[in-house]
Amino acid sequence: MSREALALIDVDGVLNPHGSAACPPGYTEHELFPGELVRVRPEHGRMLLRLADRYTLVWATYWEDEANRLLAPLLGLPRLPVIPCAGPPGSQQDKLVGIAPWVTDRAVVWFDDLHSTAAHEWAASRGAPTRLIHVDPVGGLADVHIDQALRP
């Protein structure tokens, strides 16, 4: 595996802003799971690809492989590596359980709407550069978040 820096990408709350009752401007709703609408903004693919010169893009979502199958084609993204984040069905385990051993000592930017206390402690204790980028689940990922990840 490469020693490149990683950009960890969550879906719900980041690419699928579920925090508002109405679909935000620029998004369209898709029924990717039976009876469940997912909000998609096609520009997110272009935005994330801005990171590709500096970071390896990686899914860090409870969607796991479904992100490649269902969402990547709508965003114009290639298949991305997937960090196993989901615990047993119905569990709400902290994603950090899968993320920490997967990233090892690489530099990381992590886009999520719910960074746990444990994630903040982990980030502060790492020797490698680690930036947790909070995304508001009402508006979703924006250029300001990408700019934050690209800042030195």
Side-chain angles (χ1 to χ4, degrees):
M1 183 161 298
S2 167
R3 304 309 305 157
E4 287 183 33
L6 304 172
L8 310 183
I9 306 159
D10 181 33
V11 173
D12 291 321
V14 175
L15 301 181
N16 173 29
H18 56 69
S20 65
C23 186
Y27 289 83
T28 55
E29 294 182 322
H30 300 262
E31 189 172 342
L32 300 182
F33 301 100
E36 185 178 338
L37 293 176
V38 174
R39 295 168 176 173
V40 177
R41 181 178 173 201
E43 290 81 15
H44 279 157
R46 173 195 54 78
M47 291 166 62
L48 290 169
L49 289 173
R50 284 181 51 206
L51 301 169
D53 286 342
R54 187 176 301 174
Y55 300 99
T56 297
L57 304 177
V58 180
W59 294 119
T61 172
Y62 291 124
W63 283 44
E64 293 190 339
D65 291 312
E66 295 298 307
N68 277 323
R69 189 175 76 78
L70 299 172
L71 193 57
L74 295 173
L75 299 177
L77 291 174
R79 286 190 67 78
L80 304 178
V82 175
I83 296 175
C85 289
S91 79
Q92 292 297 319
Q93 84 177 23
D94 190 331
K95 289 181 199 174
L96 188 58
V97 171
I99 288 172
W102 202 92
V103 303
T104 63
D105 61 350
R106 290 175 279 193
V108 171
V109 294
W110 178 3
F111 298 93
D112 209 308
D113 62 315
L114 292 171
H115 292 109
S116 67
T117 299
H120 284 280
E121 290 169 354
W122 170 78
S125 71
R126 297 187 76 227
T130 305
R131 188 175 293 169
L132 304 184
I133 299 177
H134 175 76
V135 177
D136 184 342
V138 172
L141 186 72
D143 282 314
V144 65
H145 301 113
I146 302 300
D147 294 342
Q148 189 177 352
L150 292 172
R151 235 183 284 143

